[in-house]
């Protein structure tokens, strides 16, 4: 059932050239000793509770604190989401299913993800904390089939790309936050190009009979991943009372759901094209 997850030679060549010419160093980042607590650490309009009653109830100090705790939660989500991706790449290296260029790109991909994880971990450890993400825990050697691996990779990367773009462009945020998001986005655009093609090939290789089960799994996985954008521990660390109740209310709130829909729009379109999600329900 499984065949090569190697995108076309043209794409591999472009990705390798992009990685070689786009190489950057963590030493080039200027880490401030502390972040200014009066400044937004991430874009307020994209905080999970923005537009909900919990937002109205929070004072300015709590809101700004939340902009840091939710940024650390977002970086933690990316960091933990990239761990199974890195493990999956290692398991696929030099397995005899790829040509020279495709093999080489996997090494660039792995090296870039490793650097991203150091960068996100450094930010979280310096200015707040790394949040555990038990749902994304590693379970030994990657047992996933190619489609599930491809979906997991694309979900963390495409949703991340959206927030990277928002934070990189927001002039209210500290330079270190904008820089991290801009650097990450640059590498991730290549990873997503690879991941889209790899997932297309993986879906083309599965039996038609396997699709309904994969669709159910993908639908649940995507929903849970978007719900991870509201993290009860990050709410609690910002000083929001009753964080679990607030999280439950936020997940059901139209403002949060509209933001999720916007952040995931390209991903959802791609997954629907591949018949990995149910078509939208008619109104
Ligand atoms: Fe990354
Ligand atoms: Fe990536």
């Amino acid at each position: 059932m499984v065949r090569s997850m190697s995108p076309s030679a043209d794409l591999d060549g472009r990705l390798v050239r992009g990685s070689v010419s786009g190489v950057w160093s963590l030493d080039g980042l200027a880490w401030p000793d502390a972040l200014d607590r009066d400044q937004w650490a991430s874009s307020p309009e994209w905080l999970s509770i923005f537009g909900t009653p919990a937002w109205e109830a929070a004072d300015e100090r709590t809101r700004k604190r939340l902009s840091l705790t939710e940024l650390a939660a977002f970086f933690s989500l990316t960091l933990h989401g990239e761990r199974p991706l890195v493990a999956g790449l290692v398991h696929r290296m030099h397995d005899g299913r790829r040509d020279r260029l495709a093999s080489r790109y996997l090494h660039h991909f792995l090296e870039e993800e490793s650097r991203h994880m150091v960068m996100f971990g450094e930010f979280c450890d310096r200015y707040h904390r790394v949040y555990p993400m038990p749902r994304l825990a590693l379970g030994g050697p990657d047992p996933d089939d190619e489609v599930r691996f491809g979906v997991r990779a694309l979900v963390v990367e495409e949703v991340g790309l959206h927030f990277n773009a928002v934070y990189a462009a927001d002039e209210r945020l500290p330079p270190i936050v904008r820089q991290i998001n801009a650097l990450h986005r640059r590498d991730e655009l290549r990873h997503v190009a690879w991941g889209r093609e790899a997932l297309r090939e993986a879906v083309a290789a599965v039996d038609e009979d396997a699709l309904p089960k994969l669709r159910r799994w993908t639908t649940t996985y995507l929903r849970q991943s978007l719900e991870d954008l509201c993290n009860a521990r990050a709410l609690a660390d910002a000083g929001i009372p009753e964080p679990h109740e607030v999280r439950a209310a936020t997940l059901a709130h139209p403002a949060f759901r509209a933001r999720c829909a916007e952040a995931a729009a390209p991903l959802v379109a791609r997954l629907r094209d591949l018949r990995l999600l149910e078509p939208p329900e008619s109104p």
Side-chain angles (χ1 to χ4, degrees):
M1 172 181 104
V2 172
R3 66 185 180 93
S4 166
M5 276 199 50
S6 172
S8 70
D10 266 9
L11 179 62
D12 287 328
R14 267 189 289 128
L15 296 176
V16 167
R17 284 195 298 279
S19 286
V20 170
S21 66
V23 78
W24 53 274
S25 161
L26 276 175
D27 298 335
L29 295 178
W31 302 97
D33 290 337
L35 297 180
D36 179 356
R37 288 183 174 230
D38 293 328
Q39 193 177 0
W40 294 107
S42 62
S43 310
E45 301 79 9
W46 285 92
L47 294 177
S48 65
I49 62 169
F50 184 83
T52 75
W55 178 260
E56 298 311 318
D59 61 19
E60 188 74 1
R61 197 166 164 272
T62 304
R63 291 173 176 180
K64 289 207 162 130
R65 179 85 184 141
L66 184 65
S67 80
L68 174 62
T69 63
E70 285 208 347
L71 180 67
F74 166 62
F75 283 169
S76 301
L77 204 52
T78 310
L79 196 168
H80 288 295
E82 287 179 344
R83 287 168 65 217
L85 175 55
V86 163
L89 290 174
V90 169
H91 283 283
R92 285 162 177 79
M93 277 177 169
H94 302 289
D95 58 3
R97 296 190 294 156
R98 288 171 191 80
D99 66 11
R100 184 182 58 83
L101 263 185
S103 290
R104 193 169 152 199
Y105 184 64
L106 288 195
H107 284 276
H108 286 295
F109 197 153
L110 179 74
E111 189 272 328
E112 286 164 5
E113 292 300 19
S114 174
R115 198 152 16 107
H116 299 164
M117 290 159 73
V118 178
M119 176 174 73
F120 291 129
E122 181 79 17
F123 181 92
C124 292
D125 285 336
R126 274 176 183 264
Y127 308 121
H128 187 49
R129 61 187 283 211
V130 175
Y131 287 99
M133 297 284 167
R135 200 176 63 77
L136 298 172
L138 286 177
D142 180 22
D144 275 354
D145 59 53
E146 298 293 329
V147 172
R148 284 183 167 89
F149 172 71
V151 169
R152 281 183 210 274
L154 216 51
V155 167
V156 64
E157 308 224 296
E158 293 235 21
V159 174
L161 265 186
H162 170 83
F163 286 95
N164 291 154
V166 169
Y167 299 152
D170 191 335
E171 292 178 358
R172 293 167 298 182
L173 312 188
I176 185 69
V177 173
R178 299 185 62 196
Q179 200 178 10
I180 285 175
N181 282 283
L183 281 172
H184 193 243
R185 180 174 160 78
R186 220 169 59 186
D187 289 346
E188 292 301 307
L189 286 168
R190 288 191 300 278
H191 299 180
V192 163
W194 183 90
R196 286 178 175 177
E197 185 60 18
L199 183 57
R200 191 188 61 73
E201 289 192 2
V203 171
V206 300
D207 294 335
E208 194 69 23
D209 297 355
L211 274 177
K213 195 172 165 199
L214 284 169
R215 249 196 303 272
R216 283 194 297 276
W217 177 86
T218 302
T219 303
T220 304
Y221 186 79
L222 177 62
R223 178 179 52 74
Q224 290 175 338
S225 297
L226 293 171
E227 288 177 356
D228 281 345
L229 293 170
C230 185
N231 181 315
R233 291 183 199 213
L235 295 173
D237 284 349
I240 305 279
E242 301 184 331
H244 291 283
E245 289 77 0
V246 167
R247 180 173 186 268
T250 299
L251 297 189
H253 197 283
F256 177 75
R257 295 168 73 98
R259 277 191 293 279
C260 288
E262 188 178 339
L267 171 67
V268 165
R270 168 74 38 175
L271 294 174
R272 285 223 169 93
D273 272 0
L274 294 172
R275 297 186 298 150
L276 285 173
L277 284 180
E278 303 295 345
E281 286 167 27
S282 41

